[in-house]
Structures are given as structure tokens and as C-alpha cells.
Amino acid sequence: MENSRLKSFIPLFYLVWSDDLLTQKEFITLQEFIRSQNWLTKEEQEELLSKIDISVPPSREQLTSWKLEIEKSIQEKKSVKSIYDIVVALSGDDKSLTELEPVFAKLENDLGVFGQEAIGTFKKTATSLTSNYKTESSFDTKILTEILDGEEAAIIKRVKSVISKPEFAYETSTDINVYRVKVFEWCKILAKENFGNMAYPKQYGGGDNIADYFAIMETLSYHDLSLVIKFGVQFGLWGMSVQSLGTEKHYSKYLKDIGSLKLPGCFAMTETHHGSNVKGLETTATYNHENQTFTIHTPNKNAQKEYIGNAAVHGQMATVFAKLIINDVDYGVNAFVVPLRDTNGVNIKGVTIGDCGHKMGLNGVDNGTISFDNVVIPKENMLDRFASVNDKGEFESPIPSDNRRFFTMLGTLVGGRIGIPRSALAAAKSGLAITIRYSDQRRQFGPEGGSEVPILNYRMHQRRLIPQLAKTYAVHFALQYLTNRFLNKKESEMQEIEALAAGMKSYSTWSTRDILQECREACGGKGYLSENRIDALKNDTEIYTTFEGDNTVLMQLVAKNRLSEFRKSFGEMGAVGIINYVYENAKTAISEKNPIATRKTEDAHLLDNEFHLLAFQHREKTTLASAAKRIKKLIDSGLEPYDAFNVVQHQMIDVAQAYLERIVLEQFQIAIETVKDVNVKEILSKLCHLYALAQIEKNKGWYLEDGYMEAVKTKAIRKMVNQLCWDIRPDAVALVNAFDIPESCLAAPIIE
Amino acid sequence: MENSRLKSFIPLFYLVWSDDLLTQKEFITLQEFIRSQNWLTKEEQEELLSKIDISVPPSREQLTSWKLEIEKSIQEKKSVKSIYDIVVALSGDDKSLTELEPVFAKLENDLGVFGQEAIGTFKKTATSLTSNYKTESSFDTKILTEILDGEEAAIIKRVKSVISKPEFAYETSTDINVYRVKVFEWCKILAKENFGNMAYPKQYGGGDNIADYFAIMETLSYHDLSLVIKFGVQFGLWGMSVQSLGTEKHYSKYLKDIGSLKLPGCFAMTETHHGSNVKGLETTATYNHENQTFTIHTPNKNAQKEYIGNAAVHGQMATVFAKLIINDVDYGVNAFVVPLRDTNGVNIKGVTIGDCGHKMGLNGVDNGTISFDNVVIPKENMLDRFASVNDKGEFESPIPSDNRRFFTMLGTLVGGRIGIPRSALAAAKSGLAITIRYSDQRRQFGPEGGSEVPILNYRMHQRRLIPQLAKTYAVHFALQYLTNRFLNKKESEMQEIEALAAGMKSYSTWSTRDILQECREACGGKGYLSENRIDALKNDTEIYTTFEGDNTVLMQLVAKNRLSEFRKSFGEMGAVGIINYVYENAKTAISEKNPIATRKTEDAHLLDNEFHLLAFQHREKTTLASAAKRIKKLIDSGLEPYDAFNVVQHQMIDVAQAYLERIVLEQFQIAIETVKDVNVKEILSKLCHLYALAQIEKNKGWYLEDGYMEAVKTKAIRKMVNQLCWDIRPDAVALVNAFDIPESCLAAPIIE
């Protein structure tokens, strides 16, 4: 093909024979094209057609030589952008071809080929924005770590040094008996370090430091999560139930041995038929005045205690929740210390213990069932801080309502709803550390002729991981806030703090569930191998969304609390207050819901903290008011309140979610304000913006329905989320390094 | 308190001392209220105040007697709806109290109490809509089962009868060696039943029935999923690679022994450093003309084959994908049969096999790594359907392009992308069967004084499960469609079918991932116990989103295919076509995007199949056109095509998603049209409406941004989704029963 006009078809021949998106149909398109070119003679047309006869493919050598010819001709010609440009290049810049430009442009169209894309095939040394992008940290990770650890830095360091010791090498046996023994041994070491009794009063050997206890729980969660749960069952649930529900006589008798793990025990609340609805527990504790004892009894199979940690193997005693019966009168659920096994591990008479067997995760924890067949315990074993039986055999309590007494008792145990979300947070940090570091190293695909690209450079990969990283930082500060509220609680704040803890427990554990799912998929096949630990992290935390209160049930409680607060504040407001509220909302309408604001898309506005917080607050207020209105309407229309609340359950979740998101954003913003280091402040601000905008994007349907934003704005927010992911990516590795998780805990071969 | 006016405060006393949402603050509210009531004398005020002195609580007996008094007074008075109504009832209908009505109404407000809710506390025999709702099937499950099974009913029945035999009792050992042996034994039984070779040609002992083979894969998936994958590796990947890539000489030599499991083998494609980007495989097959052999070699550690099923223990041979090198020229990736072990299980010289060890799931499959150190195989071991080395030692292929040849080879293996989503579907069905049946039995909470309610009656619980049930039905019919397209494929449709399979593989496996997550949480603690099988279902299918192609990567491919089709159809259209397209869109604007349509919320419209399909099609067309436009704009602005595609990755996922959702809805609608039984048609239509509306609800942000719907409509859709969940609930158990999964396969103690 010496004729330069015939030569101009070479790129088409090459593409049609090699591109994997072109099919038989395109051969026909090309044939028709050739036949319709009047400037070609019949013979030329025939010669050209012979090159694209599907029954006579060119040889591989022919194809290769075409490719080489094209490559040579366009080498170093940056201006080559379409098939026509190649044609020109091949012809040695034959000016007479100009007339063919529209013809080839049309053909590109007909073939469905992007000229520029097709040309990629011939560029050998292709490079690109995407492939050149890489890890480049903009801040000092040490400073960020100090900010994260805060006042707990010392205890965090101590815990890390212990769990990094050789004896804490992970147990890899799949035999749950081996695993359970190992976890118990680890707990003993931790007890010796005085980690377990950290929250107990000093006079019983404790450290009197609840803040440190929570920090220990969280830091231990970088290691094996069965260990954390076993630790939490023993020192938190079992020990703290004695401390919170018992009195002096119980403290002096039990706390020291619990803290040293000499006395392993359980927290026996849940029954097979009563988990979420613990008020309905059926186990009974019947008082016998003649011999000053209680008889603990399981009335039917479904009233057995179930899922009880420490029960199947190690527990010697348990705090048992049971309905107190005196003279056939039911005084509601109370707590009793009941022995399960003697020190030789032999069951106490009347106690039957089952093994929950293999679980999805946490197989180092010996969960079991417990049934009681008229087990008699002395009167002093009643944990009698909130209720007791007096010398006359009469019930006594400073809280006359059984209902309120029970919820007061539960309220004292709210610490568990702080420990669990903090443990979940640590697991999310581990997952992200493994996944982001791997994604920075793992290369796959790349521009034609260029080298493969770290998968963290792919926008979808960033989308999957970087908003989750931002959320993890946000949750970190929100849990700090929750912990501080709890540590400095006043009696009058207890309901609010309980609701906050219930909500943050759900928020954090669901967040961890989602994050570890992304981590698993983002690590591909490597994420499926147990050695890389996503398996354990994911399966161990899977139950976090259920225990310490089913998340969905807790979210309903949070929403009910918000609703009740809302009604009260409405009540307190009185007429003037309501006018003010309406006025406030009208102000919102003017300042935030005017066409200028709802369509505002400048970067400065989209990245404005105040815009974010106002948007979150608006959603919080509006969902709450709307749920309240709807419930009232349903009841007014004749529905039973119970049914009305059922109808709005879905909305109630939104109410709780909007409240929690506002808290999380607000606390993240407040925390950043106090940061002094400019670079750290900068990157944290980026994360905070990303957290805010990613939530708004998730809720964009709501914002559009509400009219708070218009389409132009939500679309701009989507682009900004993408941009922030891209901007944060070079810092992503440093951001997970700032978690400062011991390498021996991460222990994933993929990041070695 | 004889004075009836004083008596009127009893309900308030009771509430303030017992309600768990009222706090200290409300005591103050109540005190202030009492002090402000001028109709009370000072003495009366003092007496009332004494009842709510926080330091002197009433006795429990006092509280109980108040409660009894109230209960007695309002017994059988249905009209009692507020605290004021109780007050009147307590007074014996003292008409003089009328003046107090607004006073008490205000107090209710100030306390943040809903009168009607508070009254629930006193109604002993409360019943409600929610508690009376229950399972009541509206159709004959047998007829629905027949529709689901269709023409495959016979083979499905045969497979079920085999896997229900005692020898198929689940293996509960956590020792992977025990488990692997058991799975291998099971495979042998299945081979004897001629299930494995079902798709092979009759002349090699097969059943020549691909449709049955897929039905076998799906039905086996009701049983252990390690078994399904081991089965699929042996008979599907290993056997079908020989059948699809080899020629007569390979069929006669291997197929019979593969089908009988006499010759266990592997499919060795993935390497440590090349999973998604298989074109980049590094293993080499170097041709030696002098002795007519190939030397298979692993050039570096990261080029080892990884995750290879059947490799760690049982495989004796493998189809190995390697770059063919002849005289230092690289001819791209080709396939070779390479021996791994002799019949005694001893490795062939030069072959090093590693064990992937414990995995998140599928631990009955022996995944391993394989490295080759210059392993020599005879020339005939090249699977030479698409390429071969001729007698002169020259490369030959009917497909000159290495790239296209490789994708053609991969295309013949598309069957795996049908088997896997069908297996995922079966796992979702199992999970839903266990969870929905459990949720129908499990009771928790209930109206005050009433019995506890099946958790499936709770709206949130319905929301979590019933749309997933609808989606599972939808995916069932879509996978039937995919299978039929594949079975009746023409050459010209291959690209479309490959894209459809890649897409449906992602759609179905992600759907299963989400469904099993909901199942786990919806079953609470019981869902965490391995015995109830959500564990295995969830962890085994977890890798389905990665293997046979990472879902995110596949979705990009699907979108690219759609984009290329879009460009071609634009090209073909020519000027007239484009005008028509614009005109079509203008018609959409008039018929679907006018203010009447975008605000239409009548039930008949919301439940109209045509509305659903038009909405899905609109989204499909619009996302596609918008992505095409955006890419063009980015490239025109100077971005490299590679970078431009990276920027729009997120949008590309939407393109693929919208396409798949349209396919799934369309096929569900088409399938329902053919149903004759009225009741079955009715319930399937409800499911189809729910599927459609739940997807629109999920995408409502998009529809609002696009202007296809206004807020009033998306809100109406949310309500309709809730309503459909409620309406379908009585049939939910029958709908999972219609899957007709053997009880021995479900095998979850919670539904015994």
C-alpha cells in the first residue's frame, strides 16, 4: 500500500482487528464506508475491502507491522488526537488529505470509537495524572497521634507495650478450646498488669480511673477482639454489675478477686426468649423468709440465660437478673450473685450449663447457656443498691416504681455502651490501616504502555475508603466527647447521656461494619485470607451491632428520647416560646432556604464549616418535628399509640441518625478548633469537610425533598466529595499511620 | 384524698414516679403547676406537693394502689384518651371538672407526655393492629415453586434428593483438613450421580445439557457452599477450560476422567500480582522446537498462581494460563495443561505448591499457590482451539490480535459468571428462609398488658427483609433470562451477553451480600451462632463479590460496553437518527417530565408497571448519555483518556447499575405476564411493585436532581414501599417456603 490515501486506512484495519469492543457489526460499517468513498477507484476499494474480509484475517505479523508503522509515524507527535491525525501522520503530512478530515470524524462516530482513546493503543510511553499520583504526607504523624491519644497517652502506651510482647502472638488454631484457653491466659496477664481493675475503687485494689479503663478497652481492641470481649465480660460486665448494683458488703467480698481474675464471672441477663425486651425476663428469685434465702429458678427452657460470656468454661459466679418474688408478689427484675461452679470447675448443684458452640466470630470467648433448677442462695447475695428485702421480709426501695427502678439499674451499666463503640472504632482503624497501606502498594492496570498504578489512585477505590477514613476520625472525636460527658455526668444529664451512648454505640458499630466490608472487598482475594486479619476484625465485630442492645432497637430508644425532649421543650416554651420557634424556623427559611443559598455552589461555601453544621442541624430539627407531627396525627386519627409508633419506625431511625450525625460533626469541628499545628489542622479540616459532605450526599434525597438544596448544589457536592477524596489520597497512608497501631497487632502479611 | 379535685392529680403522681422518660425537671414542672392552680387552697397545694417531694418517695404499695385505682376507674371506657379523661373518670364523672380540661391539656404539653401514650400504661387488655397481624398465605406455594423451577424441575428434584441424604449431613469440624476431605467425598458422590459432567458432550460421557448444569450449581448451593465451589472448580473451571480452549485430542484424553473426578484439576489463572488485570500475567510458556515441548516457568515470587481451588491438596493437573514465548517473541497469554501431582499425590518435579490456609469462608476448598520452576510439558498440552504452534514451530491463530484472542478465550469461560450469581441467589434464598421464618416465630415487646408480638410485625423489621425478598424474586427471573440468553446465544450477541453476565454477577452477589447482612442482624444473637448457618452463608459468599471478576472492575467493564454501544448507535443513527433521539427525549420531557407526571401520586399510578419501567429506562438512558458527555468534555479539555475514565469511575458504576436494574425489572415484569394462577400472579405483582419502588426510593436523590420526580412523589413512594411491606408480610413465610429448600439443608435450629 504505497498510495498514501490507501495507507490512511491502516489505523482502521488495526483497530477493527484488535480492539476488543468492536464486533462483526463494525466490519460491515467499515465495508460500507469504503464502498461509499467516491475518491477511491473500484480497484482501490477492492484492495481495501480484502483487508477486512472476516474469513481471511491478516496474519499476526501483518497486524504487528501495521502497529509498528503507526507507532513510528506518530512518535513524539503530541498533537495526534484522532484517527484522522494518524492518517495524516502516516501520509507524511500529505496536505491533500485535509478534505478527508470530516469523513474520518464521521467514521469514528459510526464505529463508536473515541479517537483519543484509540490512540492510547499506539502510545508506548504513556504517562498520566493518575499514574504519577502517590503518597506524600503533608503533616507530622506524631503530632496527630498525640492529639488522638490526648490525656490517655500514657496508659495507651503501656497497653501497647504489653500486647506487643511475644506471648501475645495471635492464636491461629481453629480449635475453639485451644483459643479459649489462650484468651483466658492473656486475660490473666492483663489482670496482673492491673488493667482489669482500673475502674474499681482504690480500697478494693483498683485504679479508680474510669477514663483509663475505657482507653484500655479501646487499645486492647487493636489486638484480638475475643480478648477484649472476655476482658470486658469479666472486669466490665461482671465486676461493674457488682460495683454498680451492689453495696459495700459485695465490694469487699468480691471486687478484689474479680479484678485479679481469681474469681471469673458472668453477667447473666439475656434469656433465649428475652433479649431486647429484658423487662420481660422470666427467671425468678423467690424469697424465703424462714431461712433468709432466695431460690433462683428457670421456669422453662426459653427462660434459660443465653449467650453468656465466660459461662461455658471459666465462670465461677454470675450476676443473675431475675424477677424478685416475695409472697407471690412480683417486684420486677433485680440482680443476684449466684455461684455457678466451684473452684475445681464443677457445676454447683441445680446449675446446668450449655455451650453456645462455634460462632461467627469471637470464638475465644466461651459463651454459654445457664439454667437454674431451684438454686438456693443466701439473702446477702442480692445486689441491693436499688432494692432490698428488709429484716421483716418486706421489699424496700428508694424507687417505688418497678419499671423505673429497672431502668435506673440498667442506666448504671451504660459504660458498656461506651466500651463497645470504642472497641469498634479501634477495629475500623485496624481495617483501614491494613487496607489503605495495601492499596497504596498494590498495583493493577495502568495507561497503555505505562506501568501499573497503585489501586488507591483509582477514584472508585478512593470513594470506597477515604470517606470511611474521614468518618473514622469523626467518630473518634465523638466517642471522646461521649466518654467525657459520661465521666463528668450530673444526675440531671443521665437520660441524655444514656441516649447519647445508645446512639453512639449504634452509630460506631454500624460504621465499623460498613468500613470492614469495604476493606474486605478493597483487599480482594487477599482480604479473604484469614492471615490478613480482615476476617477476624469483621466477624468478631459483626455481633457488636447486636449485643449491648440491638442497634435498631437502640435507635428507636434514642428517637423516643429526642421526641420526649422535643415535646418538653415545646411545653416549656409556652406560647412565646412557640412563636420564637416558628420565628427561628422562618429565619432558617430566609437565611438558608432562599434560592441563593439552596443553589450556592462556590467552593468556599461548600467547604464552610458553618454551612455544614447548619445543614445538619436543619435536618435534625426537621426530621424530629415531622416525626412528632406524624405520630400525633396518627393517634388523633384513632390509631393506638403502639400502632402509631410502629408505623413511624422507619422515620424514627432517621430522627436518631440525624441527631447522631449532628453530634459527630459538631464534636469533630470543636476538636479541630483546638489544634495548634497548622498542617495537622489542615488535614483534619479536609477530613471534616469530607465527613460533612459525604453525609449530605448520602442524605441528598432528603435535602432535595425538603427544598434545603437544589439539584445544582447536590451535584456540586458530589463533585466536591470526589475532589476531597483525591486531595486527601496522598495523606491517606500517614493518616492511618497516625493511629499508631502496633505492627505486631496489624500483623497482615500483605502490608509487610 | 377524698376530695375529687385532689384525686384528679393521682395519674400525674403515678406518671411522674414511674415513667422512665420523666426526670427531675418534670418534678419541678409539676410543682410549679400545682402552685399556680388558684382553685386549690394553700393546704391542698401543700398536700399535693408532699406527694411529689423527691426526697420522700411514695411507697411501692402506694404507687400500686394508685395504679389500681386508675385502672378500675377507666376500665372499659374506650373514650379515655388524655390525662384529663382519667381525671374525670376518677372523679366519677364530676361535671364540675370541665373547667380543668385546658389546664391539664397544657400540663400534658409541659411534661412532654402524650395523653394517649400515657394511658397505655393503665390499659390491661390492650390489643392492637400490630399484635393481631400474622402469617396468612394468599396463594398456593406449590404453584409458585413450579414457576420458579420451570423446565429444570426434574433435575432440581434429583439434586435435592441427593443432598438430603444422611451422608450429606453438614460437617461441623473446624479442622480444615477434615472439612476438605468431607467436601471431596461429597464431590465424588455427585460425580457418580453424573452431575459433574452434565455439560460435557455425550461422547465423553457427559449429559450435553448446560441448562441442567446451571440448575445443579444453583440447587447444590442450598447445601454447603464449599461443596459448590469445589464442584465448580473441578467440573466447571477445570473441565470447561479444557472443553472451551482445547480441541478434540484434549477432550478424548481428559473429559471423561474429569467428569468422573478420577482426574481432579485446577484452573490456574490468577497470580499474586495479577488478579483483575489478567492480561498482565507473568508466568511464561516457552516453546522449544527441538523437542516439541513448552517450559512453564514462574519468573518471580509475585507471578506465582494464587487462590487456586483444588491446588493445595487434591489437584493432579491444571489449566495454566501463561504468556507463550516463541523465539523470544511474546504471543500473549495462552492456556496449557500442566501436571501438578502424580496419582499418589506427590508433586511433579519443579512444581511447588503452597496452601492459602484458613480463609474467611469456603474452608472446605483447598485453595493454594503454585509455582513452576522450568516444568517441561509436551507440545500437545497446549489448549489450541484459538492458537497453536505449527509443525514449523510457528505461531498460528485465526485471531491475529493477541489482545482480542485473549478476550475471546475469556469469553468462552463466561459460564462461570452465570453459575456464581445463581449460587449467590440460592444462598440469599436460604438466608431469607431462615430469617423470615424465625422472625415470624420470634416475639419481642408488645403493647402494654398485651402479649409479645412477632418481630416480623415491626415495620422496621419488614423494611429490612421484605424489599430484599422482592429483590431476590426479581434476581431469580433475571438470572433465568441471562441463562436463556447464554444457552441460545448467537455469535453477534456475545459481547452483549458477556457484559450482561459480568453485570448480573455483580448485581446478584452484591445483593446476596446485603441480604445476608440484614439476615444476620435480623436474627440477633441467634444469627451469630454458627449452628443457624447465617455464618456459613455469609462468609462463604463473601468472596463471590471478588472471584470470577472483582465486582467494581466488572461494573466498569459493563459501563464501558454500554458506552461503546451508545456511541455506535449514535453513529448508526446519522443525522436523522440523532434528530429522532432528541425528539424522543423531548417526548419524554412532555409525557413523563411535565408537572402533572412528576407530581403524580395516586396509588394506581405508583403501582403501574409502565410507570416503573419508564422511570428505570429514563435513568438508564440519562446516566449513560451524561457519562458519555462528561468523558468527551474531559478529553476535549486536554485530559488523557485514561485519566478521564478515572475521573468518571463513580458515574460509570451508576451507568452499569441503572442498566442492570432496568434489565431485572423488565424481566420480572415479563415473567409475571406469563403466570396463569391469579393468586400467584397477584403476590408476584406485589413483589415486583415493591422491587421497582424500593429501587426508585434508593435512587430518589437522582430522580429529584434530574427533575423526573418532585418531592411530593418521592415521599409518596416511600409510604407506598412501607405499605407494600406491610401488605406482603402475611405472605412472607409462604414466599420463602415456595423456594422449596430442603429442611435438611436449611438445618437452622432456630426454625425447628
Side-chain angles (χ1 to χ4, degrees), chain A residues 22-30 111, chain B residues 492 565 568 572:
Chain A
L22 296 182
T23 58
Q24 286 181 26
K25 230 154 92 183
E26 282 68 54
F27 279 86
I28 296 165
T29 306
L30 196 50
L111 291 174
Chain B
S492 63
E565 288 304 314
K568 284 181 207 169
E572 278 168 17

Side-chain angles (χ1 to χ4, degrees), chain A residues 456 462-470 690 725 728-729 732:
Chain A
L456 194 53
Q462 293 170 9
R463 264 272 176 182
R464 293 168 87 167
L465 296 174
I466 296 182
Q468 308 284 27
L469 179 61
L690 179 55
C725 289
I728 292 169
R729 183 268 177 258

